[in-house]
């Protein structure tokens, strides 16, 4: 067994804890190859949060054992997907006076403007996961590209800050540490799969990536090839299961099978089952549409909605989404290559894409202080952003 695994993604969800070990990308496609997979039932997790540290650690250890056994790799560090209803975003614009004598905008000026933007957001009890520049102005004029090399006196940088509750991040790091894992990076769940599922054309025209998990639903909206906003709702596919169990008086296990269309019972009227599922799915997509209306994008995303997660396996999801959102809708699917063939289990998608962040970073390092698993107490925003800033440029 090798001593280190460099490309490992961990997705600690409300229903399952998943670990994916990836090797180098295939030369033909650039898509990383899966070396090993570990899956365990999540214990001690509620709505994406750690409710019981010991139980959550035990679940992670079990998943890690399976992944190590299958891959032949000893896992010591990993990138963790950060989800839960505590994920949020805020946009702020920072300004900087161009520092060079020849008035040419430099990388330093951009960093300074982003630092000023950070000072304008409310980060009490929150940690910044990512800082993404989404717009630039030089002397009041908007630029379609990055401003380095442009001549001007004043630079403005509009930045999207992706944040999560500080305690939530601390708890996940503690669980990983207890399981013997050093956390080297983070990626927010709403945007973890963006690189492999969305095309530049979709992101340029405007689209929404919807991840329907067990306890939460996260959405990420893209326009002009950049992430413009994200949001997490405290509802998920398990709510459909509960509705079926209550409405049709069946066990939770039977309700889950009925929801996915795996089994059917002669005693259960299909019409009534469809009504129960459709009602809850309509609630879910009406909630999403309400948020899109809030940001002025309801029915105004030409590339439509791409749906992933546990809820995407419910047979009626696509049709209800189309009717409610009034957008083109497709189910996001990715064939993940492995040494044994193609892995089609889409429940591994977030963990797989999180592992890929180590190969071609998708996420920013956290700006907050962290113990051995993160930046030191004295590390400031500039030092954190330097390593990845160029990859986040539109």
């Amino acid at each position: 067994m090798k001593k280190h695994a460099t490309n490992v993604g961990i997705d600690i969800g409300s229903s399952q804890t998943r670990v994916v070990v990836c090797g180098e990308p295939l030369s033909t496609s650039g898509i990383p190859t899966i070396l090993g997979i570990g899956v365990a039932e999540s214990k001690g997790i509620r709505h994406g949060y750690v409710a019981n540290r010991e139980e959550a650690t035990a679940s992670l250890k079990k998943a890690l054992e399976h992944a190590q056994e299958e891959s032949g790799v000893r896992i010591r560090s990993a990138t963790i997907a950060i989800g839960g209803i505590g994920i949020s975003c805020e946009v702020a614009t920072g300004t900087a006076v161009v520092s060079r004598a020849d008035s040419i905008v430099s990388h330093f000026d951009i960093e300074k403007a982003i630092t000023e933007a950070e000072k304008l957001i409310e980060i009490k009890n929150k940690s910044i996961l990512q800082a993404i520049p989404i717009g630039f102005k030089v002397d009041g004029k908007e630029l379609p590209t990055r401003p380095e090399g442009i001549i001007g006196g004043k630079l403005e940088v509009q930045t999207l800050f992706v944040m999560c509750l500080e305690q939530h991040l601390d708890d996940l790091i503690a669980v990983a540490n207890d399981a013997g894992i050093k956390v080297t990076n983070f990626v927010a769940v709403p945007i973890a799969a963006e690189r492999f599922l969305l095309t530049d054309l979709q992101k340029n025209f405007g689209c929404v990536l919807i991840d329907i998990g067990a306890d939460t639903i996260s959405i990420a909206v893209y326009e002009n090839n950049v992430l413009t906003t994200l949001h997490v709702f405290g509802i998920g596919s398990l709510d459909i299961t509960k509705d079926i169990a209550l409405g049709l008086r069946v066990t939770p296990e039977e309700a889950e099978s009925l929801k996915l269309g795996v089994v059917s019972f002669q005693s259960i009227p299909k019409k009534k089952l469809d009504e129960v599922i459709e009602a809850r799915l309509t609630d879910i997509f009406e909630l999403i549409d309400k948020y899109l209306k809030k940001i002025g994008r309801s029915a105004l995303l030409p590339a439509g909605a791409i749906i992933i997660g546990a809820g995407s396996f419910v047979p009626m999801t696509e049709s209800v989404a189309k009717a409610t959102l009034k957008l083109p809708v497709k189910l996001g699917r990715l064939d993940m290559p492995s040494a044994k063939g193609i892995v089609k289990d889409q429940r591994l998608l977030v963990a797989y894409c999180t592992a890929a962040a180590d190969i071609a970073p998708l996420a920013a390092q956290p700006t907050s202080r962290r113990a051995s698993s993160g930046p030191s107490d004295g590390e400031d925003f500039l030092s954190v952003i330097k390593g990845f800033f160029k990859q986040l440029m539109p």
Side-chain angles (χ1 to χ4, degrees), residues 41-81:
E41 181 184 358
S42 288
K43 300 287 187 180
I45 303 294
R46 182 176 299 174
H47 291 291
Y49 290 118
V50 177
N52 185 301
R53 179 170 162 178
E54 290 73 22
E55 289 183 350
T57 299
S59 296
L60 178 55
K61 284 183 176 179
K62 186 178 293 186
L64 286 166
E65 288 173 5
H66 294 322
Q68 289 182 141
E69 182 178 352
E70 184 173 309
S71 66
V73 174
R74 181 170 295 143
I75 301 173
R76 289 287 179 261
S77 61
T79 296
I80 289 188

Side-chain angles (χ1 to χ4, degrees), residues 94-156:
T95 61
V97 175
V98 177
S99 57
R100 288 177 47 156
D102 56 7
S103 298
I104 294 177
V105 176
S106 67
H107 185 70
F108 172 80
D109 300 322
I110 300 171
E111 290 180 337
K112 185 177 179 182
I114 293 175
T115 303
E116 292 302 313
E118 185 193 4
K119 295 177 181 178
L120 301 177
I121 65 172
E122 175 58 54
I123 58 174
K124 184 178 181 181
N125 298 321
K126 295 179 182 179
S127 292
I128 297 174
L129 295 177
Q130 296 177 248
I132 306 174
I134 60 176
F136 303 94
K137 287 183 180 180
V138 173
D139 293 338
K141 295 181 180 180
E142 291 188 9
L143 297 177
T145 184
R146 62 186 186 183
E148 289 171 295
I150 301 295
I151 296 176
K154 179 183 177 183
L155 170 68
E156 298 174 63

Side-chain angles (χ1 to χ4, degrees), residues 90-94 113-114 117 121 131-135 157-161 381:
E90 190 169 339
V91 176
T93 300
I114 293 175
I121 65 172
I132 306 174
I134 60 176
V157 179
Q158 187 180 39
T159 306
L160 175 73
F161 294 93
F381 186 75

